[in-house]
Amino acid sequence: QVQPVESGGGLVQAGGSLRVSCTAVRRTFSRSAVGWFRQAPGQEREFVAAISRSGGERLYADSVSGRFSVSRDNDKNTVTLQMERLKPEDTAVYFCATRSTILTVSPDVQAGWYEHWGQGTQVTVSS
């Protein structure tokens, strides 16, 4: 299974926390950069965060910087997006995307750079 699979998400009140995770087949996942994107109804898909293959480089959108944290555990074949101090405007379907890279390649903020996409998981933040 090359396609990543998201889990977690759900409904939370504004100011609360939530965690979403992404996993895929270990052989490819541990050699891949991973990006998180989100799409709200009627809006375009937007970049949220990304992490390099080694986990040494992380990128964040300005809108989530300081509130969201991306991490990975290649032994457990998982990338986690921890979301804190959630706002109603964070409500969206969150997608995980992967791209196989060599060790030194930085992740990208462009959706078109990624090769494989999950089906998404809904995150809803109530006011």
Side-chain angles (χ1 to χ4, degrees), residues 9 23 30 35 78-79 82 85 94 111 120 126:
T23 189
S30 63
T78 300
V79 167
Q82 179 68 39
R85 303 195 304 279
Y94 282 70
S126 63

Side-chain angles (χ1 to χ4, degrees), residues 3-8 36-37 45 92-96 117-123:
Q3 183 180 16
V5 177
E6 303 92 344
S7 61
W36 283 98
F37 293 78
R45 191 169 298 190
V93 176
Y94 282 70
F95 297 89
C96 168
W117 289 80
Q119 294 298 308
T121 185
Q122 178 69 46
V123 171

Side-chain angles (χ1 to χ4, degrees), residues 24-85:
V25 172
R26 179 189 172 97
R27 180 170 58 83
T28 57
F29 196 74
S30 63
R31 299 174 182 175
S32 299
V34 178
W36 283 98
F37 293 78
R38 66 186 182 187
Q39 187 167 19
Q43 297 187 22
E44 294 186 353
R45 191 169 298 190
E46 65 173 359
F47 170 75
V48 176
I51 188 166
S52 62
R53 167 178 161 175
S54 68
E57 185 171 356
R58 308 176 192 192
L59 304 175
Y60 296 97
D62 290 343
S63 59
V64 306
S65 182
R67 299 189 298 121
F68 290 14
S69 177
V70 61
S71 61
R72 71 186 300 160
D73 185 337
N74 285 340
D75 288 338
K76 295 183 179 179
N77 214 30
T78 300
V79 167
T80 299
L81 183 68
Q82 179 68 39
M83 303 179 287
E84 307 284 346
R85 303 195 304 279

